[in-house]
């Protein structure tokens, strides 16, 4: 198990309150999403995703600050933007089924949320498109 997976945990109530879309889910959808929402803490300098990684989740910054950059040669990187607390990323890459074309790195200690893998039940059709094909998995 990689170090990043070792610090993965369920979101706390305080963290859930920082995700605006959770509050507008129906009771059934919320009951499905909340136990599957995972949170990871990232130390400054650690990569949340690297260019070329498969797209498995979309992610949201609950605390801290991330930077989006494109590797350019062995040492150079072109920074596109920063993602502050409240920002989400990766949904477009997930929808397209592409690998990440950019890297995302923690600029300072950050807490990042990601919805669980798999598809939501039919009642959650609005969020169904934001999950990868389940291929029989319903985790």
């Amino acid at each position: 198990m990689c170090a990043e997976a070792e610090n993965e945990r369920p979101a706390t109530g305080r963290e859930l309150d920082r995700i605006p879309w959770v509050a507008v889910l129906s009771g059934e959808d919320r009951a499905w999403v909340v136990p599957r929402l995972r949170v990871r803490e990232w130390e400054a300098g650690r990569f949340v995703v690297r260019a070329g990684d498969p797209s498995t989740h979309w992610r949201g910054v609950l605390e801290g600050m991330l930077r989006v950059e494109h590797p350019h040669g062995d040492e150079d990187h072109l920074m596109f933007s920063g993602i502050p607390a409240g920002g989400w990323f990766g949904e477009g890459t997930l929808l397209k089924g592409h690998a990440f074309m950019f890297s995302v790195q923690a600029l300072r200690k950050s807490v990042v949320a990601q919805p669980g893998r798999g598809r939501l039940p039919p009642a959650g059709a609005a969020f169904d498109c934001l999950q990868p094909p389940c291929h029989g998995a319903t985790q």
Side-chain angles (χ1 to χ4, degrees):
M1 177 179 282
C2 66
E4 289 81 13
E6 290 175 3
N7 77 24
E8 185 177 274
R9 60 176 173 73
T12 65
R14 183 172 171 247
E15 290 166 339
L16 289 170
D17 290 344
R18 293 181 178 176
I19 305 172
W21 55 262
V22 169
V24 299
L25 293 174
S26 70
E28 182 181 356
D29 289 346
R30 184 179 168 91
W32 192 92
V33 168
V34 169
R36 290 165 176 81
L37 190 67
R38 310 307 293 170
V39 173
R40 291 183 182 173
E41 295 180 16
W42 299 89
E43 295 297 325
R46 297 296 305 257
F47 283 91
V48 177
V49 296
R50 289 184 181 266
D53 284 353
S55 177
T56 57
H57 297 89
W58 55 305
R59 295 169 173 90
V61 183
L62 302 180
E63 296 177 23
M65 180 76 165
L66 306 179
R67 75 172 171 192
V68 180
E69 63 183 21
H70 181 71
H72 185 70
D74 292 335
E75 298 292 324
D76 297 328
H77 295 270
L78 173 63
M79 183 171 161
F80 289 130
S81 67
I83 307 171
W88 286 76
F89 69 96
E91 59 273 22
T93 303
L94 182 62
L95 287 169
K96 294 174 189 170
H98 294 168
F100 279 96
M101 295 172 50
F102 52 86
S103 295
V104 178
Q105 184 178 30
L107 285 175
R108 59 179 182 243
K109 186 175 181 177
S110 300
V111 178
V112 178
Q114 60 188 38
R117 293 181 183 173
R119 290 185 179 271
L120 293 174
F127 289 95
D128 199 9
C129 66
L130 294 175
Q131 298 296 327
C134 65
H135 302 292
T138 58
Q139 176 186 359

